[in-house]
Amino acid sequence: MSSLSPINSGAAFARASLVPPAPLRVGLIGFGCVGQGFYDILWRLPGFGAEVRRIAVKNPAKPRTLPAERFTYHADELLADPELDVLVEVIDDAAEAFRLVSTALRQGRRVITANKAMVAQHLPELVALQHQHGGTLLYEAAVCGSIPIIRTLDAYFGQEPLRSVSGIFNGSSNYVLTRMGLDGTDYAPALAEAQAKGFAESDPTLDMAAFDPRSKAVILAAHAYGVLLAPEQVLNLGIENISATDIAYAGLEGQKIKVVAGLYLLPNGQLTVLVTPQFVGRESALYGVDEEFNGVIIEAEFAGPQFLRGRGAGGHPTGSAVLADLAALRGDFRYAYAKLRNAPLAYTTDLELEIYLRTTDELLLDQLGFTDITEEADEDGYIVGYVPLDALLQHRDALRQASAFVARTGNVRPAAAHSEEQPTVEEVSY
Ligand SMILES: NC(=O)c1ccc[n+]([C@@H]2O[C@H](COP(=O)([O-])OP(=O)(O)OC[C@H]3O[C@@H](n4cnc5c(N)ncnc54)[C@H](OP(=O)(O)O)[C@@H]3O)[C@@H](O)[C@H]2O)c1
């Protein structure tokens, strides 16, 4: 006769159902910062139940930390191997990543990627391929490294309307801004320090000109709002032209400059997305997100505000997100893209933003069409007032080339709000 009490038999059942499944066989494409970080995590977690069976890299001449026989130089061999349960794509070439990932999805496979540029550029097709062929693509590592933001938005907040999702999505530019803010270091030495510490690439354009956080904002727009955007639709202004003057201006008001990616549901029910430097005061949770850290604020309709902060890059933090995706795949998780099934939300750039602009280019000042100017300092060459978002989009390349620096104050209003014909418009502050 069994001596198990009902409680004990429940515990035995729970233990039996936790018997580990057969180890997942992983094909790893890319063995750089993220690939090695993820490999090391799996090595440290032998009980996790996954093994890297095969590794594909590109350069046969590169010294490796594992024996040469562990590597192939033809990623297609992994695509052709039916014994691999999951493919993890962590290469640094967006076009090749799309070829590999889309081929794997056409085979109906389970795939993990960290490539935000690739996902942002091809999201509609990647969603369609999963529907057509039954495969699964997860990409938590593509947005804010270790911060579990995509699954939070997709699964947890899949039904709840969100007022905004905003944050610091790029650790390299945040590190540079932190250095500049601490001791008046200028941009070039702050960037050189970030590069020396491995926080910024040798070609820093993607990070410093805010292309990288723009890709991340585009990905979040799909999960948080069900809006599929082309990256070019989103304004991205970076910090390449920032100077100690701009940092000092922010400091006068007790503020910091941060590159803020913001997805905002406007009072008229439309969505706008902006990625620009912004003045951030102590009242914001982003004020304390310094160095190479990332932070995300979710303003949910019913849950209210929530804040996540963590490391946005690096081998182990990013490898941790890949590990979480692997565990999710084992549980048959897939993104629901629930909000893509809702009535489509309109995306708008028909707005005016209050900005601080520092430039010596008179033509640019005319072209941007400032209204409601509240400050203008000739000696420092800056002006504060409202400009149409469409004008900033149209002239964003000219702004970069003219060494101009733009930061948002956070105030936003519908286009032509200054017009006397339309006096009762709503201004909002983010
Ligand atoms: N680094 C981070 O902290 C971070 C954070 C979030 C997301 N990500 C994303 O993760 C991905 C990988 O970044 P990473 O920093 O790990 O790059 P990385 O250090 O430059 O390493 C890239 C790896 O990809 C391999 N590779 C390139 N082309 C290949 C091809 N055609 N076939 C097979 N292997 C190929 C390289 O091979 P060789 O070794 O032979 O050169 C290298 O092992 C990127 O999409 C990046 O945006 C990175």
Side-chain angles (χ1 to χ4, degrees):
M1 198 178 121
S2 167
S3 61
L4 287 178
S5 68
I7 290 173
N8 281 339
S9 28
F13 172 77
R15 263 195 302 279
S17 66
L18 289 176
V19 170
L24 280 173
R25 296 160 299 185
V26 175
L28 180 59
I29 308 177
F31 199 65
C33 175
V34 180
Q36 292 188 57
F38 168 65
Y39 185 94
D40 187 59
I41 289 173
L42 276 193
W43 184 78
R44 288 167 188 240
L45 296 176
F48 176 80
E51 53 169 322
V52 176
R53 272 285 173 93
R54 303 185 71 176
I55 308 173
V57 285
K58 190 175 180 185
N59 182 356
K62 218 182 217 181
R64 304 285 170 191
T65 50
L66 296 174
E69 59 270 21
R70 293 287 277 124
F71 297 95
T72 170
Y73 304 95
H74 307 284
D76 287 288
E77 285 179 12
L78 273 58
L79 292 179
D81 186 342
E83 300 221 318
L84 296 174
D85 300 308
V86 177
L87 294 170
V88 172
E89 178 282 301
V90 281
I91 70 172
D92 56 346
D93 172 341
E96 180 64 358
F98 179 62
R99 188 187 72 78
L100 294 168
V101 168
S102 58
T103 305
L105 289 176
R106 276 193 196 89
Q107 298 171 347
R109 300 186 82 138
R110 295 188 286 177
V111 189
I112 295 168
T113 181
N115 198 317
K116 51 254 172 168
M118 185 274 287
V119 175
Q121 197 71 47
H122 297 286
L123 193 49
E125 192 171 349
L126 294 170
V127 173
L129 283 173
Q130 293 176 74
H131 281 299
Q132 286 159 11
H133 302 279
T136 307
L137 177 66
L138 300 183
Y139 39 83
E140 189 63 68
V143 181
C144 297
S146 67
I147 299 179
I149 184 61
I150 300 180
R151 221 161 347 139
T152 299
L153 294 174
D154 187 275
Y156 190 87
F157 286 116
Q159 302 304 323
E160 183 162 342
L162 302 177
R163 293 180 188 164
S164 65
V165 178
S166 60
I168 295 168
F169 294 179
N170 184 270
S172 313
S173 54
N174 203 41
Y175 184 86
V176 170
L177 289 170
T178 304
R179 294 306 311 158
M180 292 183 75
L182 278 181
D183 51 19
T185 310
D186 226 326
Y187 173 73
L191 174 60
E193 188 185 323
Q195 287 168 321
K197 289 197 165 177
F199 296 138
E201 307 285 334
S202 48
D203 175 3
T205 310
L206 284 182
D207 294 327
M208 300 302 148
F211 289 99
D212 170 86
R214 179 177 74 173
S215 293
K216 295 164 178 170
V218 165
I219 295 171
L220 294 193
H223 294 276
Y225 294 98
V227 174
L228 294 173
L229 295 170
E232 303 72 46
Q233 287 177 272
V234 175
L235 177 68
N236 64 305
L237 298 171
I239 60 163
E240 294 157 304
N241 300 328
I242 196 170
S243 77
T245 308
D246 309 315
I247 301 281
Y249 175 86
L252 287 176
E253 300 289 327
Q255 296 177 316
K256 293 181 184 174
I257 297 174
K258 298 285 185 190
V259 177
V260 177
L263 296 77
Y264 306 113
L265 192 63
L266 298 165
N268 66 5
Q270 297 181 326
L271 178 74
T272 199
V273 182
L274 307 164
V275 184
T276 75
Q278 184 172 346
F279 298 112
V280 173
R282 283 180 192 278
E283 71 288 352
S284 168
L286 300 181
Y287 185 88
V289 180
D290 283 333
E291 308 282 345
E292 74 279 20
F293 278 83
N294 286 190
V296 189
I297 302 168
I298 302 167
E299 291 275 354
E301 179 80 27
F302 305 113
Q306 302 201 338
F307 175 55
L308 291 148
R309 175 183 181 275
R311 292 189 189 279
H316 276 164
T318 314
S320 145
V322 176
L323 180 82
D325 277 353
L326 195 56
L329 281 178
R330 190 160 55 191
D332 289 331
F333 175 83
R334 45 175 44 234
Y335 297 134
Y337 299 102
K339 288 177 179 169
L340 281 177
R341 287 187 233 113
N342 294 349
L345 206 58
Y347 178 68
T348 187
T349 57
D350 196 18
L351 293 171
E352 293 186 350
L353 313 181
E354 191 180 34
I355 63 164
Y356 158 102
L357 167 70
R358 186 181 43 72
T359 184
T360 49
D361 189 329
E362 293 289 331
L363 181 62
L364 201 49
L365 279 176
D366 287 348
Q367 286 169 331
L368 288 179
F370 270 88
T371 52
D372 292 347
I373 294 166
T374 51
E375 274 186 69
E376 203 165 1
D378 285 343
E379 66 283 9
D380 287 330
Y382 74 79
I383 178 167
V384 180
Y386 278 86
V387 293
L389 170 54
D390 283 328
L392 288 169
L393 279 163
Q394 191 186 340
H395 297 292
R396 71 179 134 189
D397 291 339
L399 283 160
R400 281 184 73 195
Q401 283 150 19
S403 298
F405 177 72
V406 172
R408 286 193 290 129
T409 66
N411 291 333
V412 170
R413 67 189 187 189
H418 59 284
S419 149
E420 286 180 7
E421 290 153 28
Q422 206 181 342
T424 55
V425 285
E426 206 170 342
E427 181 184 277
V428 274
S429 200
Y430 293 109

